[in-house]
Amino acid sequence: MSRSVSSKFVIVGLLALLTCSFALSTNAQTRRERNQSEQAAREADRMASQKNYRGAVEGYAKAITIWQGNADAHLNKGKAHFFLDEYDLAVTEYGLALQHGSKPLDVYKLRWSALEKLKRYDEAIADVNNVLKAEPSNGQFALAAAEINFGRGNYQEAANAYQKAILSS
């Protein structure tokens, strides 16, 4: 009886040891993937700073392929798509950046303009209003609200937003 109990303890101990070693191996792999992803993103940042936006998109895509959770790579890939006038792709990347942990305010400050270019005014004004809730005296976004409302045909709201933008500057 005591022999079967000690055998069970040995088996449980071995299973615990295997589980710990697997967790450590997985953690090291994740760390390595993050480092490789960040290195690819830095190279893409260099391309973007040289206005090579197509190369930057490819570099950020590589970074994301290595580590899907790279929120900064998604955000910056969205910026590169925006500069290439690929607004649908930019909006998609901004959404993924938000899902992977980018600060919502950072995403809203970028995404609204791509949404406006796509004439998705309701979504654009929602992003602008989210920024204005956090930064009520932000004149740039008061002006954005005015332009979006004007584009939507909401002329009274546009006039109010233009006035707020003037007072904010």
Side-chain angles (χ1 to χ4, degrees):
M1 182 80 129
S2 68
R3 185 173 188 186
S4 72
V5 171
S6 64
S7 296
K8 287 180 184 176
F9 280 124
V10 168
I11 291 172
V12 169
L14 287 173
L15 287 174
L17 183 62
L18 286 172
T19 302
C20 288
S21 67
F22 177 74
L24 290 174
S25 171
T26 302
N27 191 22
Q29 181 181 4
T30 302
R31 204 172 320 121
R32 184 174 47 252
E33 288 170 351
R34 284 185 182 199
N35 289 340
Q36 290 172 342
S37 177
E38 289 169 359
Q39 182 179 1
R42 280 192 298 276
E43 178 62 23
D45 289 341
R46 187 185 62 73
M47 286 185 244
S49 71
Q50 296 171 350
K51 299 189 186 324
N52 177 0
Y53 299 116
R54 181 61 56 209
V57 164
E58 292 168 7
Y60 293 126
K62 179 181 176 184
I64 292 164
T65 299
I66 296 168
W67 177 41
Q68 286 273 321
N70 191 334
D72 289 339
H74 282 290
L75 192 68
N76 291 331
K77 187 176 180 213
K79 289 179 194 178
H81 280 302
F82 184 86
F83 286 119
L84 293 168
D85 297 333
E86 299 169 345
Y87 305 118
D88 280 322
L89 294 171
V91 169
T92 299
E93 289 300 327
Y94 294 146
L96 290 168
L98 197 56
Q99 287 177 8
H100 289 290
S102 282
K103 293 178 184 174
L105 205 56
D106 293 342
V107 174
Y108 301 147
K109 286 181 173 182
L110 295 169
R111 187 174 63 184
W112 77 272
S113 55
L115 291 165
E116 182 188 32
K117 296 276 189 187
L118 294 168
K119 298 188 185 329
R120 291 165 53 182
Y121 296 124
D122 291 341
E123 295 169 83
I125 197 69
D127 280 357
V128 167
N129 286 336
N130 282 325
V131 172
L132 288 171
K133 284 177 191 169
E135 301 173 3
S137 61
N138 188 321
Q140 177 186 357
F141 281 88
L143 183 59
E147 292 172 2
I148 293 168
N149 280 310
F150 190 84
R152 294 167 76 191
N154 297 337
Y155 302 117
Q156 186 57 50
E157 289 180 44
N160 292 339
Y162 279 124
Q163 186 175 15
K164 185 176 179 180
I166 291 168
L167 294 174
S168 296
S169 50

